[in-house]
Amino acid sequence: MFVAFFSVSIEHYAKSDRSVMSNDSVESKVAKKKTEKKAVNPSHWDAVMNAIIQVESGGNSKAVNGRYAGAMQISPVLVKECNNILKNRNVAKRFTLSDRFSVKKSKEMFLLIQSHYNPSNNIEKGIRIWNGGCNYKVASTNRYVRRVMNMM
């Protein structure tokens, strides 16, 4: 039974993710795919995303602050990073700058970033990434984390 499941998983994985380097073991590819699927569970992040929306824009989906826009105050760089992640996953979908004004699409971008940079679904890390980027500094994101956590 395990062999049949494992071979089906490998076939499914091989078809769905061509971006992984060929020298990765089959087991690590399967584990990575399972982690990616787990990380995009929106219910895990609903309270966090809603708190971020309140901290960032007070719920205003038309909010603009310099280069940041929308309810979650998304930068053009983040949109580009989301599109790079999608491209590397061989997904045809792409986000546009105007998608930042859609709460639904903003949340999709948030979940995509989390699935890529925070596959362990650590809430604190996810909040820090949203505020400080993938190379965030703990000291410079502490205040933001407190604000979001208090909003939750």
Side-chain angles (χ1 to χ4, degrees):
M1 181 167 147
F2 175 76
V3 175
F5 171 76
F6 188 70
S7 65
V8 169
S9 296
I10 293 170
E11 289 173 13
H12 173 73
Y13 185 83
K15 290 177 185 174
S16 64
D17 191 0
R18 302 192 195 305
S19 64
V20 177
M21 310 253 325
S22 60
N23 61 352
D24 285 346
S25 71
V26 172
E27 292 84 4
S28 68
K29 289 179 185 178
V30 171
K32 181 178 179 184
K33 193 66 177 176
K34 284 180 182 177
T35 303
E36 287 174 0
K37 285 182 181 179
K38 180 181 175 188
V40 295
N41 180 359
S43 64
H44 177 81
W45 291 106
D46 279 340
V48 176
M49 289 186 290
N50 291 334
I52 287 172
I53 287 169
Q54 290 306 308
V55 168
E56 292 288 355
S57 68
N60 180 2
S61 64
K62 297 184 186 322
V64 176
N65 184 11
R67 64 182 183 192
Y68 302 95
M72 297 183 82
Q73 292 294 283
I74 297 174
S75 70
V77 172
L78 189 129
V79 174
K80 185 175 182 179
E81 180 62 15
C82 286
N83 288 335
N84 286 337
I85 293 168
L86 292 169
K87 180 180 176 184
N88 289 337
R89 292 182 181 179
N90 293 321
V91 176
K93 178 178 184 165
R94 296 294 183 269
F95 291 103
T96 65
L97 292 178
S98 63
D99 288 339
R100 300 178 297 170
F101 297 102
S102 163
V103 173
K104 181 181 176 191
K105 290 182 180 183
S106 295
K107 287 181 175 184
E108 288 177 22
M109 286 187 256
F110 176 90
L111 293 172
L112 182 61
I113 290 295
Q114 296 305 319
S115 73
H116 186 75
Y117 290 105
N118 185 17
S120 63
N121 282 322
N122 180 294
I123 291 174
E124 182 180 327
K125 181 179 179 180
I127 296 168
R128 290 184 192 281
I129 289 169
W130 194 253
N131 179 243
C134 60
N135 295 318
Y136 65 86
K137 304 286 186 251
V138 172
S140 60
T141 58
N142 280 337
R143 182 172 177 259
Y144 186 78
V145 169
R146 281 193 304 273
R147 289 177 66 206
V148 171
M149 295 298 278
N150 286 338
M151 194 60 68
M152 290 171 44

